[in-house]
């Protein structure tokens, strides 16, 4: 029902809706159309006594030639952002995944540290199962979007797995490839 309110209010601009997010991906040349649709959306939301959290609204300007227009909702300038988290993936102005990869590796590393210290008395198979259940999904989430293609990024992710495998009892002195096969960790 509420989505219909949004779709009926916005007439000139392409937009995307996902759960409670509305996105206006538009060209800078259409800035007046985007502003008109933002005004119409705000007006329609007020008519239905719904609120929008303007503090959570932001504008990301992509492209070198972009004039970086300002947009307003309820007379308040929307924040200009250099990166945004969208569906769990951090997108930056240069569209490079470095910030996202840094966050993913840091989170996975923290989880691995917690597991390593919490499960140190368990057998190897339980540790591998915990790694596969809690750490690897963090590293593999949305890889289609941020697919690691640079060697330094792949090495950074691989270093985390290598540290885990080498930390297993009886695996420290094995060559990494052999340790991986023995741990059944792809």
């Amino acid at each position: 029902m509420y989505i219909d309110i949004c779709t009926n209010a916005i007439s000139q601009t392409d937009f995307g809706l996902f759960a409670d997010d509305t996105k206006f991906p538009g060209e800078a040349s259409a800035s007046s159309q985007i502003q008109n649709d933002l005004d119409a959306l705000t007006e329609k939301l007020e008519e239905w006594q719904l609120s929008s959290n303007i503090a959570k609204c932001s504008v990301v300007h992509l492209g070198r030639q972009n004039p970086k227009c300002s947009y307003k909702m309820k007379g308040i300038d929307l924040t200009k952002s250099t990166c945004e988290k969208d569906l769990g993936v951090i997108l930056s102005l240069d569209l490079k995944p470095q910030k996202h990869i840094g966050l993913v590796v840091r989170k996975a590393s923290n989880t691995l540290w917690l597991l390593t210290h919490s499960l140190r008395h368990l057998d190897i198979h339980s540790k591998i199962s915990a790694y596969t259940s809690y750490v690897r999904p963090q590293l593999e989430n949305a890889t289609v979007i941020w697919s690691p293609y640079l060697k330094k990024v792949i090495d950074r992710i691989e270093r985390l797995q290598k540290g885990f495998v080498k930390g297993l009892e009886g695996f420290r002195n094995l060559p990494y490839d052999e340790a991986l096969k023995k741990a059944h960790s792809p």
Side-chain angles (χ1 to χ4, degrees), residues 14-56:
D14 285 335
F15 62 96
L17 296 170
F18 182 80
D20 62 347
D21 285 347
T22 306
K23 293 171 185 32
F24 289 87
E27 293 185 27
S29 61
S31 63
S32 62
Q33 290 176 343
I34 293 171
Q35 184 59 58
N36 290 341
D37 280 338
L38 280 171
D39 293 340
L41 178 62
T42 304
E43 190 177 302
K44 191 59 89 171
L45 289 172
E46 285 177 357
E47 180 184 319
W48 280 78
Q49 297 179 352
L50 297 170
S51 62
S52 57
N53 190 343
I54 297 173
K56 288 185 175 182

Side-chain angles (χ1 to χ4, degrees), residues 58-62 79-84 90-95 99:
S58 61
V59 178
V60 178
H61 295 289
L62 301 175
T79 309
K80 292 181 181 176
S81 179
T82 57
C83 67
E84 277 299 312
I90 297 174
L91 300 171
S92 62
L93 292 179
D94 58 5
L95 297 178
K99 286 184 182 181

Side-chain angles (χ1 to χ4, degrees), residues 96-112:
K96 292 183 179 173
Q98 273 63 7
K99 286 184 182 181
H100 179 75
I101 290 168
L103 179 70
V104 166
V105 171
R106 202 168 31 257
K107 254 177 91 173
S109 181
N110 290 343
T111 303
L112 180 59

